[in-house]
Amino acid sequence: TALIKLIRQKKTKKQKLEKKKLLSTKVQHFDIKLPEEYIPLHQISKSNILARHALTYLKNRGLSIYDIFSYQIGYCEKGRFANKIIIPTYNADEELEYFIARSFLPDAHRKYDAPVSDKNIIGFENRINWDLPIVLCEGAFDAIAIKRNAIPLFGKNISKKLMKKIVTNSVKKVYLALDEDAIKSTCKISEQLLKAGKKLYVVELEGKDPSDMGFTLFTNKIQEAQPFTFSSLLNLKLNL
């Protein structure tokens, strides 16, 4: 009917305006470099006690030697990032865009550190196939545990660059896996993705991070996830 046609036209127009709004982003460049003290962990000597502590920490978090090599994970013995694991992230041109530093000592005063950046990046972009479903998660360890097409947000908010990439790309399915304490962020990101016409799934983590679950359990959660709609979003907002 004419009424249905009018409603569809308004919906399409609204989606186009939302898309245009998301695409109008300005990018500020930060010159990010790995610390001078950075040492790749796949190149260390077995006699290096500090490096062995770093490897043990990663092993306890479920990382394999292949993961360490594949993600170019390293560590620092001195300097600002002393006694910390270094996990770099590269863009599609294999250029360094950011890194996080995580202490591998149990009694560290400051567990996490990172270079100054607006974090307007796409985590692990060089590893992403945009023709397949993607998973959005909070941290680098989460993305490594998920293994398949996982993008860390390095926090609870999605960058303008990543949103623009999702909106303008052929990716159709997006899985959102944020912690239970990030309901407001889940609502905000979900609304943006739904308005952009993406098929969305919100993964129920039940109090655990993907890095705590591991690959097998998280994969089960992915398979159990149901489509997340505007109705689902409304129900989630009502629970805030």
Side-chain angles (χ1 to χ4, degrees):
T1 65
L3 179 59
I4 294 175
K5 186 177 180 180
L6 180 62
I7 292 173
R8 286 177 177 173
Q9 287 176 343
K10 286 184 176 180
K11 185 178 180 181
T12 302
K13 186 177 180 181
K14 187 176 181 181
Q15 286 180 337
K16 286 181 178 179
L17 288 172
E18 289 291 337
K19 185 174 181 179
K20 186 176 180 181
K21 183 179 177 182
L22 290 171
L23 297 183
S24 60
T25 61
K26 294 182 179 180
V27 178
Q28 182 178 358
H29 179 71
F30 285 81
D31 186 21
I32 304 295
K33 295 179 181 179
L34 287 173
E36 292 183 3
E37 302 85 1
Y38 164 84
I39 304 171
L41 271 166
H42 65 275
Q43 295 181 1
I44 54 92
S45 167
K46 292 183 179 179
S47 62
N48 188 320
I49 295 177
L50 195 61
R52 285 167 61 185
H53 280 299
L55 287 170
T56 298
Y57 170 81
L58 292 173
K59 183 179 179 180
N60 290 338
R61 295 208 61 162
L63 276 70
S64 66
I65 292 298
Y66 173 78
D67 292 328
I68 293 168
F69 174 78
S70 180
Y71 286 88
Q72 300 181 42
I73 298 173
Y75 80 114
C76 293
E77 294 184 349
K78 55 185 178 179
R80 171 182 167 180
F81 302 102
N83 304 323
K84 287 183 172 64
I85 300 291
I86 304 295
I87 304 180
T89 179
Y90 297 87
N91 62 22
D93 296 320
E94 301 293 340
E95 298 169 335
L96 180 71
E97 283 205 320
Y98 189 64
F99 68 84
I100 61 143
R102 181 27 165 119
S103 175
F104 52 83
L105 299 180
D107 56 349
H109 174 67
R110 185 176 183 180
K111 291 184 177 181
Y112 282 96
D113 201 353
V116 176
S117 169
D118 61 358
K119 293 197 291 187
N120 189 28
I121 61 171
I122 300 174
F124 299 155
E125 184 182 10
N126 61 324
R127 310 178 66 87
I128 303 303
N129 183 344
W130 297 99
D131 294 324
L132 298 175
I134 59 172
V135 182
L136 305 182
C137 56
E138 290 191 25
F141 285 106
D142 294 326
I144 294 171
I146 295 167
K147 297 184 186 293
R148 298 172 181 171
N149 247 24
I151 302 174
L153 304 182
F154 299 108
K156 302 182 188 298
N157 299 309
I158 191 167
S159 71
K160 292 180 180 179
K161 185 177 180 181
L162 175 53
M163 181 59 74
K164 179 179 179 180
K165 186 73 173 182
I166 295 173
V167 170
T168 59
N169 230 284
S170 58
V171 61
K172 295 179 180 178
K173 290 184 180 181
V174 180
Y175 291 86
L176 186 58
L178 303 186
D179 293 348
E180 290 182 346
D181 64 353
I183 296 179
K184 288 185 179 180
S185 294
T186 296
C187 287
K188 183 178 179 181
I189 295 171
S190 297
E191 189 166 3
Q192 288 178 304
L193 293 173
L194 288 172
K195 287 180 178 178
K198 300 300 177 180
K199 194 168 184 179
L200 179 65
Y201 298 81
V202 173
V203 183
E204 296 184 9
L205 300 180
E206 299 178 356
K208 290 185 177 180
D209 294 333
S211 60
D212 295 328
M213 291 184 181
F215 172 72
T216 302
L217 182 55
F218 184 82
T219 300
N220 291 338
K221 292 293 182 184
I222 284 279
Q223 294 170 347
E224 293 170 0
Q226 299 297 314
F228 192 86
T229 64
F230 280 106
S231 178
S232 307
L233 176 61
L234 178 60
N235 288 331
L236 189 61
K237 285 184 175 182
L238 290 174
N239 291 325
L240 286 176

